[in-house]
Amino acid sequence: MTVYKLYLKLIRRNSKSILLYLFIFVGIFFMFAIINSSEKTTNSFKEVKPAIAYIDEEQSQLSLNLKDYLSTITVMSDIDSAENAKDALFFGDIAACITIPQGFSEQFNSQQSTNIQIEQREDESNAMLVQQYINSYLQSAATYQKNTTLSLDEIHAQILADQSVKTEISFALANPEKANDDVILRQLFFNYLSFISLSVTILIVGIVMHSINNSEIRKRNLAAPIKSASMNIQMFLGNLTFSIGLWLLFMIIISIFSNNMLNSVGFTYMLNSLVFFLVALSIAFLAANLIVNVSHPTELLSAITNILGLGMTFLGGAFVPQKLISDTVLAISRFTPTYWYVLVNDKLVDLNEPTLEIFQYIGIQSLFAIACFILSMVVYKNKRVQESI
Amino acid sequence: MMWHLMKYRFKTLLKDRSLLFFSILFPIVLATFFGMTLKGAYNVDTLKPVEVAIVTNENYDQDQAFQEFIKTISQEDGLLAPRYVSEKEAESLLESGDVKGIITKTETILLKVKSSGIDQTILKTVTDEYLVKSHMIENLLANGADFQQLMATMNDTTNYLQSNSTDNVNLSVIFFYTIIAMSSLYGGNWYMRCICDTTANLSDRGIRFNVSPVKKSQALLCDFIAANVIQFVSMLILLAYLIFVIGIDFGNQISLIFLTILGGSLAGSSMGSLISAVGTQAYQVKTSLLVGITMLMSFLSGMMMVQVKYYVQAYAPIIAKINPANMITDAFYSLYYYGGGSRFYMNIASLFIFSGILYFISFIILRRKQYDSL
């Protein structure tokens, strides 16, 4: 088992890089988890409250009343100038910026149409909702003014009182237990896992296999009294140990972050990721066999790692959800194993039990693994033939 | 002598394949993947009429005002796209997701929905509006107002607002600006390689160099020029790729864009300079340090998630002010969204000041380096 032990020693020597990647991954994932944590969906209907900035240049009775009304149905930010609002609008922190110009009350009282400025993204839903709210309030106020002799404050009070007549809502949430934080966190974790598993596996397996297999050392080893089949089996076991060890490590991490793993869906996630790790291993094996004769592989390997890792995970939809990717790109990404991996992860969010479809997708991933493995055998044979000439 | 130094420095740098990959090819590859997936990802929810099922029960048939109201709201480009169906059909439409909600006229109005979102909120707003207005009209009638006038207000569509849509609001451009920022800072690798080659405790070549009679200041100056020229050119290549192949909008003030790129290159190589001057770790470690710091700075300027840039600006503005990646990203952002202006010049000035300070510190450190002659 000397080759096997050597393999493990080499992994330990490279452990700093592994730990660095791991650390960065867990750090970024943690930050994503915090930023992305949505409110727990309750079992009742929750209105969307658009965020707005309200800039009142007039500060009249009417504009203050309008502000009061809007604060009940929107989230008012404390941005106080149009300049600051522009950034907030760009980044989506507010849906619209309302500016009440001077002369607003006079225009309203003389029953002309006013021109409250609203700065928004064109046709954006939340902003249109805000427009609806403002128009509704002012229309009601105008009606009261025309038909009664109430003062502005009394009109305001009356409008607020009118709001008490509400529609009855009947809410039928499809899967009440499903839509919560933990499920989304799990999905995110496993999707991002595709990137880290591909990168780390290709990099480390590439480096270690190169150390054992590059032509100089191989020729020396071939003189040793170990069967070459035994050497190959030990290396294969080494690869497998590394891959499964890494997988176990990540499973432990997710079990710490989420306590939703001990059910059939959780196990399906784990199975999916195990198959994906094996796919990554076979890709790494192929890459390692291709660069066997290069003398300083580190840079070439990190180039391959980055390109393959980033490329496959982006195309597969691990970072940008698959439904936001255009169809032509999706057609290409069907040829990457990450596409099927992410597809399983996304589908499992809405399910309580894994279905046959899920296992079919997992099967497709294993086809990738088998294909890469066969290819690497072919490459290996070719290199051997080249060597012996 | 200077010419000789510069010529060979150019040659040495351009032959370093891994540096070439990371400075030029890697950002292009990254930009390609971002471009394929992210370009359309941040489009806003534009308002489409919300599909809703209106149950045609007895109450509905008898209420003319309600029918009128729904008709007015569902006109061309209106808020609703109603389907007038029976109760059972409405349920199955809601189940299959063909409609977002069911409106049934009861004593008041019953709205049935399956989830909480903007479409459902719009439905609720519409029904609330009807109820509130009817309530208001009843009150006013009871107090003796004119009926015809009141009925007109039911369908009042006066618009009190004047909307200004901002253009240039494609959020995904920030990703591409951060790619430029990241590759500017990665470009510090070029200068770092130069310093490594001239510092005795970092490489064998450095030892040879320190023994030779070449003035260190001359060599550093030549390296400075060579590294920055190469970096500037590689940034231009990346910029051209982003503009012409991926199609990112940078505004149209070419000279200001070049100015930003120049500032970015200087900032990047100054960072490389400082990291290689300080400390005695090996070259590989310094490279990883540069990569790590660059990643952190790019993250804080919005590379992984665009909103991070905004939050850092809002809640920790001091970080935004001293982060060179943010200075570069923000400069491009102000060119794109604001068309230049004082914010842009502030960022450019910060970039040059940042580079100046870092170069100054690293030159002071490098000048006095002496080694034991053992």
Side-chain angles (χ1 to χ4, degrees):
Chain A
M1 295 303 267
T2 32
V3 179
Y4 182 69
K5 280 198 223 146
L6 173 68
Y7 195 98
L8 295 181
K9 216 193 279 182
L10 283 170
I11 293 182
R12 208 169 308 145
R13 208 207 291 176
N14 283 300
S15 56
K16 271 205 206 114
S17 315
I18 303 179
L19 279 177
L20 184 70
Y21 268 96
L22 206 72
F23 195 62
I24 296 179
F25 170 72
V26 173
I28 293 187
F29 174 69
F30 201 60
M31 281 194 266
F32 262 117
I34 295 180
I35 294 179
N36 258 333
S37 55
S38 46
E39 288 177 5
K40 275 195 159 48
T41 318
T42 55
N43 283 336
S44 58
F45 177 70
K46 220 159 164 243
E47 277 180 340
V48 167
K49 279 193 173 189
I52 62 170
Y54 191 86
I55 298 169
D56 194 349
E57 286 175 11
E58 209 190 33
Q59 304 273 340
S60 66
Q61 194 64 43
L62 184 59
S63 59
L64 290 172
N65 284 343
L66 179 58
K67 181 172 184 177
D68 189 51
Y69 170 69
L70 284 176
S71 55
T72 60
I73 42 181
T74 62
V75 175
M76 280 235 180
S77 73
D78 42 0
I79 295 174
D80 56 355
S81 78
E83 274 312 304
N84 294 346
K86 280 199 93 170
D87 261 0
L89 192 59
F90 183 84
F91 284 96
D93 211 35
I94 58 171
C97 175
I98 316 281
T99 311
I100 311 283
Q102 288 282 358
F104 165 64
S105 300
E106 284 145 47
Q107 275 182 327
F108 181 74
N109 286 331
S110 58
Q111 318 221 324
Q112 293 164 8
S113 175
T114 63
N115 58 343
I116 301 177
Q117 304 291 319
I118 176 169
E119 187 103 13
Q120 63 172 82
R121 294 181 124 99
E122 197 160 328
D123 279 347
E124 200 248 335
S125 312
N126 283 301
M128 303 309 268
L129 190 64
V130 174
Q131 286 197 14
Q132 178 75 6
Y133 287 151
I134 296 181
N135 280 329
S136 159
Y137 178 88
L138 291 175
Q139 283 160 15
S140 304
T143 312
Y144 275 115
Q145 255 197 347
K146 263 189 257 188
N147 292 300
T148 63
T149 51
L150 298 173
S151 74
L152 274 181
D153 272 345
E154 286 170 340
I155 293 181
H156 180 64
Q158 185 64 40
I159 293 182
L160 287 181
D162 282 340
Q163 303 296 322
S164 60
V165 181
K166 293 255 178 230
T167 322
E168 239 182 282
I169 305 275
S170 161
F171 192 55
L173 184 56
N175 272 323
E177 325 84 49
K178 275 289 116 178
N180 66 44
D181 259 0
D182 215 32
V183 171
I184 309 287
L185 196 74
R186 221 171 34 173
Q187 177 208 14
L188 273 180
F189 178 85
F190 278 99
N191 278 345
Y192 297 155
L193 191 61
S194 60
F195 172 64
I196 190 80
S197 63
L198 260 178
S199 310
V200 172
T201 312
I202 297 181
L203 189 65
I204 303 293
V205 167
I207 292 179
V208 174
M209 283 206 56
H210 182 268
S211 308
I212 299 182
N213 244 351
N214 78 44
S215 36
E216 294 293 321
I217 299 188
R218 240 181 78 76
K219 287 179 185 155
R220 257 180 16 218
N221 286 339
L222 283 176
I226 308 182
K227 271 196 281 195
S228 116
S230 160
M231 250 176 55
N232 286 333
I233 290 181
Q234 287 181 50
M235 278 213 295
F236 177 69
L237 277 179
N239 278 332
L240 215 57
T241 317
F242 172 70
S243 211
I244 296 190
L246 199 64
W247 174 76
L248 275 176
L249 185 62
F250 281 112
M251 292 304 108
I252 295 178
I253 293 180
I254 184 65
S255 306
I256 299 177
F257 270 105
S258 150
N259 39 21
N260 208 359
M261 292 302 292
L262 295 177
N263 49 40
S264 60
V265 170
F267 287 141
T268 321
Y269 270 113
M270 290 207 219
L271 177 67
N272 191 28
S273 60
L274 180 61
V275 171
F276 187 75
F277 266 81
L278 294 176
V279 173
L281 183 62
S282 64
I283 296 178
F285 191 61
L286 176 61
N289 274 326
L290 281 170
I291 62 165
V292 139
N293 289 324
V294 174
S295 50
H296 291 294
T298 338
E299 290 119 15
L300 188 56
L301 255 181
S302 68
I304 296 179
T305 313
N306 276 315
I307 294 189
L308 277 183
L310 277 177
M312 293 218 280
T313 47
F314 258 102
L315 283 178
F319 297 118
V320 178
Q322 281 180 352
K323 47 183 192 283
L324 291 181
I325 302 182
S326 70
D327 287 325
T328 31
V329 176
L330 272 184
I332 304 175
S333 52
R334 287 215 176 86
F335 290 100
T336 58
T338 36
Y339 171 81
W340 302 100
Y341 173 72
V342 169
L343 192 62
V344 171
N345 287 338
D346 289 346
K347 284 213 179 290
L348 280 176
V349 171
D350 300 316
L351 292 176
N352 268 323
E353 286 272 328
T355 63
L356 180 62
E357 203 189 20
I358 303 282
F359 288 116
Q360 280 174 343
Y361 295 147
I362 297 184
I364 294 182
Q365 286 177 62
S366 36
L367 284 179
F368 275 102
I370 297 174
C372 284
F373 186 66
I374 295 179
L375 249 144
S376 34
M377 286 289 101
V378 171
V379 170
Y380 180 70
K381 210 73 193 289
N382 267 339
K383 298 264 170 169
R384 278 252 307 263
V385 168
Q386 271 177 7
E387 254 176 22
S388 57
I389 293 179
Chain B
M1 194 62 203
M2 293 267 285
W3 177 241
H4 177 98
L5 286 174
M6 247 201 291
K7 185 170 100 172
Y8 281 99
R9 180 48 70 199
F10 265 110
K11 276 192 174 176
T12 326
L13 286 178
L14 288 174
K15 290 215 160 136
D16 189 341
R17 278 205 214 122
S18 74
L19 275 186
L20 268 179
F21 170 74
F22 269 107
S23 301
I24 304 185
L25 212 57
F26 180 62
I28 288 188
V29 164
L30 200 62
T32 316
F33 290 132
F34 272 14
M36 281 202 282
T37 53
L38 287 175
K39 263 193 88 176
Y42 278 92
N43 287 333
V44 293
D45 291 324
T46 45
L47 188 65
K48 290 185 302 255
V50 180
E51 287 118 1
V52 63
I54 315 273
V55 173
T56 50
N57 58 8
E58 268 182 33
N59 288 335
Y60 174 78
D61 289 330
Q62 287 171 3
D63 195 337
Q64 281 294 354
F66 186 63
Q67 290 179 22
E68 263 311 304
F69 178 72
I70 298 285
K71 270 216 198 70
T72 319
I73 294 220
S74 349
Q75 281 160 3
E76 188 72 36
D77 271 353
L79 281 173
L80 300 186
R83 296 160 76 149
Y84 302 94
V85 292
S86 69
E87 192 167 333
K88 262 178 79 179
E89 229 185 295
E91 291 282 345
S92 73
L93 284 173
L94 182 65
E95 188 66 33
S96 62
D98 283 326
V99 294
K100 297 282 191 305
I102 305 177
I103 296 182
T104 317
K105 186 92 184 54
T106 61
E107 299 257 315
T108 56
I109 298 181
L110 175 65
L111 171 67
K112 183 163 181 186
V113 294
K114 250 184 7 175
S115 55
S116 301
I118 184 72
D119 287 329
Q120 289 81 3
T121 308
I122 290 180
L123 288 179
K124 177 169 186 295
T125 310
V126 162
T127 51
D128 278 349
E129 169 114 358
Y130 176 79
L131 287 173
V132 164
K133 278 202 168 149
S134 326
H135 190 230
M136 176 175 77
I137 289 180
E138 273 167 29
N139 277 345
L140 290 177
L141 277 180
N143 288 340
D146 178 45
F147 183 69
Q148 288 294 41
Q149 211 181 28
L150 278 183
M151 279 327 281
T153 63
M154 244 345 244
N155 299 323
D156 188 0
T157 50
T158 326
N159 191 357
Y160 290 90
L161 298 154
Q162 188 182 10
S163 100
N164 305 318
S165 308
T166 42
D167 38 46
N168 286 349
V169 276
N170 189 359
L171 198 61
S172 63
V173 296
I174 298 275
F175 276 117
F176 298 96
Y177 298 161
T178 53
I179 292 185
I180 297 193
M182 181 193 84
S183 68
S184 309
L185 296 180
Y186 263 9
N189 269 314
W190 296 110
Y191 200 56
M192 201 186 271
R193 172 74 207 274
C194 298
I195 295 207
C196 167
D197 277 350
T198 56
T199 309
N201 54 353
L202 289 180
S203 69
D204 291 340
R205 220 178 271 142
I207 299 178
R208 273 192 344 243
F209 175 81
N210 274 293
V211 170
S212 74
V214 175
K215 261 170 62 179
K216 199 149 192 197
S217 57
Q218 263 189 351
L220 281 182
L221 183 61
C222 296
D223 290 348
F224 173 80
I225 296 175
N228 275 305
V229 164
I230 294 182
Q231 195 175 339
F232 187 65
V233 169
S234 64
M235 295 295 301
L236 285 183
I237 296 177
L238 178 64
L239 185 71
Y241 185 75
L242 281 178
I243 295 183
F244 296 115
V245 179
I246 311 266
I248 302 301
D249 195 359
F250 278 88
N252 43 19
Q253 288 153 294
I254 310 272
S255 51
L256 295 182
I257 296 176
F258 277 5
L259 187 59
T260 318
I261 300 269
L262 182 65
S265 315
L266 282 177
S269 57
S270 70
M271 257 181 63
S273 164
L274 187 64
I275 293 181
S276 39
V278 169
T280 55
Q281 305 89 351
Y283 177 59
Q284 297 287 12
V285 178
K286 286 191 200 263
T287 322
S288 335
L289 202 59
L290 178 67
V291 169
I293 296 182
T294 303
M295 273 303 166
L296 182 65
M297 289 180 165
S298 306
F299 172 70
L300 289 174
S301 73
M303 186 163 187
M304 323 287 180
M305 199 172 171
V306 179
Q307 277 77 8
V308 172
K309 178 174 192 303
Y310 180 71
Y311 292 141
V312 168
Q313 232 169 271
Y315 298 120
I318 192 82
I319 297 183
K321 293 236 157 58
I322 60 174
N323 175 4
N326 193 52
M327 294 176 204
I328 302 173
T329 312
D330 210 47
F332 280 121
Y333 167 68
S334 40
L335 273 183
Y336 170 71
Y337 193 49
Y338 294 98
S342 63
R343 182 169 172 161
F344 172 75
Y345 288 112
M346 278 276 300
N347 281 313
I348 296 291
S350 321
L351 272 175
F352 281 108
I353 295 177
F354 178 84
S355 319
I357 295 179
L358 258 59
Y359 268 127
F360 186 65
I361 300 178
S362 53
F363 283 156
I364 291 188
I365 298 178
L366 284 170
R367 261 185 73 196
R368 293 293 180 208
K369 269 213 169 139
Q370 298 236 357
Y371 303 100
D372 290 338
S373 50
L374 296 170

